[in-house]
Amino acid sequence: MTLEELDLKYIWHPCSQMKDYEELPPIIIKKAKGIYLYDKDDKQYIDIVSSWWCNLLGHCNETINNNIKKQLDKLEHVIFANFSHEGAIELTKQLSEIVPKGLCKFNFSDNGSSAVESALKMSFQYHYQTNNPQKTKFMCLDGGYHGETIGALSVGAMDLYAKIYKPILIDSIRIKSPDCYRCEFNKTRQTCDTECFEHVKKEFKKHGKNTAAIIIEPLLQGAAGMKIYPAKYLKKLREICNEYKVLIIADEIATGFGRTGKMFAFEHAQVSPDIMVISKGLTGGYMPMSITITTQEIYDAFYAPYSEGKAFMHSHTYSGNPLGCAAALGVLKVIKDENILKIAQKNAKYLNENINLALKNHKNVGEIRNIGLINAIELVLDKDKKIDFNPKDRVGYQIYKKALKNGLLLRPLGNVLYFNPPLNIKKDEIDKAISLCLKSMEEILDK
Ligand SMILES: *Cc1c(COP(=O)(O)O)cnc(C)c1O
């Protein structure tokens, strides 16, 4: 049997209709370096989506590799209740210096969804233990994505992932989200005054009293199609949340670590969330690790004699895993030593200018939106009327397959193609990715 056949015999791949694999078998990757993946026949692919947005600094980065190798011979894992280790201590110390102001206590999990679960439980329990037991609800934005465990799905508002599970999900309050490309107030990004914030106001008036927390993806709704909304929205959200004593959970799993041009997206709004969740870029895509970070005030509401039963009884076996911490320390070292945020800002400008030059005038490109290095290309059937393609045609998927043939890993969200490359991508690699993207688009759309 070939590797592909063996794969299909045993493996149920994530987020896939396995029947699609009849036509597009799994691509067996043998090795990777920087932005390139190499399959078993040595064909190379540009990984322009950072392998599910986590590969922050390219594949097989020497500094991160060495950090993990060194750690491996010292300590691979230790129970994290009552025990600790240098890596976790050093990592949280360094993170405390770069996270938004006020965030100072670090609770480890091992994937994004689990860290979201931790944040939800923490918010509920915080209110319960500070004489607000009526605050039991969660709010979220339409199109929001926070992971795929039951709790995370309950505050996710993308039918694609959640619809079938509705009967077993927690009922949360969905707020109509900003949609800047198709603004219902007929504003543009330039003329916007966050008119759509009135949807938030309306729901707070109705449900604010009973709401424990609102969870959001700051500035960028990733899975919804890389939808980008203004920082002013977060500022207003901070104000209304203060008024109603609703906690803000910032899901920075996708936006953290320089993806939006600043270390964390919330910095653009110059306010802080009450809880921030990070994963993905945290270990540069090396090890499954996530952290739920909160304030002294929330932490203090759990701090009491054991007999009062106020502890946060939440744990994951791999909490604070030393290899994960070593990877994360490697990421922070590269970011600092190589001045990565500066480089990313330059790259972002170059990528955005050139992607616009190459693609903007194509008849099916409705909008190219960008934040940091993230550039999303929304494909539409009719540009003037912003009419979508028929989802049944799976135009994005056709382009995805074509791009793979051409040596580019694009993996669109519906009909939104996007670039979300490592922050240290090189200019010639950007050029190459853009031209492969255009070629793949033309092969499908202009035939
Ligand atoms: C990826 C992601 C998650 C889920 O993280 P997993 O590690 O896949 O569970 C949650 N929120 C956002 C914004 C994400 O991008």
Side-chain angles (χ1 to χ4, degrees):
M1 267 201 211
T2 65
L3 279 175
E4 288 85 349
E5 285 164 348
L6 283 166
D7 177 285
L8 291 176
K9 178 160 186 233
Y10 294 112
I11 298 176
W12 193 343
H13 285 272
C15 207
S16 297
Q17 170 49 265
M18 291 309 298
K19 195 165 169 40
D20 280 349
Y21 287 58
E22 287 174 7
E23 198 185 60
L24 181 63
I27 297 162
I28 316 288
I29 296 300
K30 190 172 65 177
K31 59 174 189 185
K33 183 72 192 167
I35 190 127
Y36 291 104
L37 302 172
Y38 299 88
D39 73 10
K40 64 181 203 332
D41 305 316
D42 285 321
K43 178 174 171 172
Q44 64 175 41
Y45 302 83
I46 293 185
D47 183 359
I48 207 67
V49 296
S50 294
S51 280
W52 264 343
W53 318 348
C54 59
N55 186 253
L56 190 75
L57 299 164
H59 293 276
C60 277
N61 178 284
E62 235 165 88
T63 305
I64 306 174
N65 283 14
N66 287 334
N67 256 25
I68 296 174
K69 285 179 197 166
K70 267 192 273 168
Q71 182 60 44
L72 188 57
D73 282 330
K74 283 197 289 192
L75 171 70
E76 81 302 333
H77 186 66
V78 65
I79 177 172
F80 208 51
N82 240 149
F83 286 76
S84 194
H85 58 90
E86 264 181 61
I89 296 164
E90 181 59 27
L91 174 62
T92 48
K93 177 169 169 281
Q94 288 188 25
L95 285 172
S96 73
E97 286 156 16
I98 57 171
V99 294
K101 219 170 121 212
L103 297 174
C104 59
K105 295 288 179 186
F106 298 77
N107 177 255
F108 284 86
S109 304
D110 48 31
N111 63 77
S113 309
S114 298
V116 166
E117 301 282 339
S118 170
L120 297 174
K121 287 171 67 181
M122 200 183 274
S123 332
F124 165 78
Q125 192 173 341
Y126 163 75
H127 288 298
Y128 186 84
Q129 290 173 183
T130 52
N131 300 318
N132 280 307
Q134 80 287 359
K135 287 188 166 287
T136 59
K137 294 273 184 201
F138 296 105
M139 289 182 179
C140 57
L141 294 184
D142 264 345
Y145 179 86
H146 304 288
E148 304 191 33
T149 52
I150 300 283
L153 270 184
S154 299
V155 290
M158 282 195 69
D159 282 345
L160 175 64
Y161 307 109
K163 193 170 177 192
I164 181 142
Y165 306 106
K166 284 263 162 69
I168 54 170
L169 298 183
I170 312 159
D171 204 15
S172 49
I173 299 147
R174 284 186 182 203
I175 301 176
K176 195 163 184 208
S177 57
D179 187 353
C180 303
Y181 174 49
R182 295 184 169 85
C183 177
E184 60 180 308
F185 299 91
N186 288 316
K187 294 291 186 111
T188 65
R189 289 183 195 274
Q190 287 71 38
T191 60
C192 164
D193 194 26
T194 55
E195 284 79 2
C196 62
F197 196 79
E198 73 177 37
H199 299 303
V200 178
K201 283 189 184 154
K202 202 176 74 197
E203 297 300 337
F204 269 73
K205 211 171 244 168
K206 251 196 280 179
H207 303 290
K209 203 165 70 260
N210 299 319
T211 298
I214 179 166
I215 183 165
I216 47 142
E217 297 161 271
L219 303 190
L220 174 83
Q221 291 196 295
M226 298 291 176
K227 287 188 173 172
I228 298 164
Y229 63 92
K232 194 167 177 190
Y233 193 90
L234 297 181
K235 244 189 175 135
K236 287 188 173 175
L237 189 64
R238 180 70 274 174
E239 283 164 20
I240 202 165
C241 283
N242 289 349
E243 187 185 327
Y244 285 89
K245 281 192 165 52
V246 170
L247 302 178
I248 299 182
I249 302 170
D251 179 349
E252 294 245 12
I253 293 170
T255 50
F257 298 93
R259 286 294 188 193
T260 68
K262 301 219 185 252
M263 189 59 92
F264 297 101
F266 243 85
E267 289 172 41
H268 290 277
Q270 294 165 311
V271 290
S272 289
D274 303 285
I275 299 177
M276 181 169 88
V277 185
I278 55 176
S279 186
K280 292 204 166 101
L282 171 64
T283 68
Y286 272 70
M287 297 288 296
M289 191 165 87
S290 58
I291 315 182
T292 306
I293 315 169
T294 193
T295 59
Q296 187 72 43
E297 188 187 337
I298 292 177
Y299 177 84
D300 285 345
F302 295 73
Y303 200 88
Y306 183 81
S307 58
E308 289 182 23
K310 287 188 173 172
F312 189 46
M313 299 304 281
H314 180 95
S315 62
H316 291 287
T317 308
Y318 287 92
S319 298
N321 175 264
L323 293 170
C325 292
L329 281 166
V331 167
L332 292 181
K333 183 170 164 49
V334 175
I335 289 179
K336 191 159 166 237
D337 291 357
E338 299 178 22
N339 211 352
I340 291 291
L341 286 200
K342 254 265 161 62
I343 290 174
Q345 278 159 14
K346 278 193 197 146
N347 281 336
K349 187 161 179 284
Y350 184 82
L351 171 53
N352 186 249
E353 276 169 15
N354 285 284
I355 209 167
N356 270 295
L357 280 176
L359 305 181
K360 197 177 172 175
N361 293 325
H362 189 278
K363 66 179 194 317
N364 297 117
V365 172
E367 181 183 55
I368 300 177
R369 44 184 177 262
N370 74 297
I371 185 164
L373 263 166
I374 297 171
N375 279 262
I377 306 145
E378 178 143 356
L379 298 175
V380 290
L381 184 63
D382 185 319
K383 208 159 155 151
D384 298 325
K385 302 199 183 98
K386 301 183 182 176
I387 297 172
D388 281 327
F389 282 101
N390 185 341
K392 288 208 181 95
D393 294 339
R394 298 181 81 188
V395 167
Y397 184 65
Q398 305 304 328
I399 296 171
Y400 166 61
K401 286 196 291 183
K402 200 54 102 179
L404 285 174
K405 281 218 175 71
N406 291 329
L408 177 68
L409 166 49
L410 261 183
R411 205 162 198 278
L413 296 153
N415 295 329
V416 177
L417 314 177
Y418 65 89
F419 285 31
N420 187 6
L423 302 182
N424 52 1
I425 187 174
K426 308 225 162 39
K427 287 203 166 102
D428 61 316
E429 295 166 341
I430 291 177
D431 295 340
K432 207 159 146 190
I434 292 174
S435 82
L436 290 177
C437 177
L438 178 63
K439 177 168 188 262
S440 312
M441 274 169 56
E442 286 175 346
E443 284 171 2
I444 294 296
L445 298 170
D446 302 348
K447 64 183 176 202

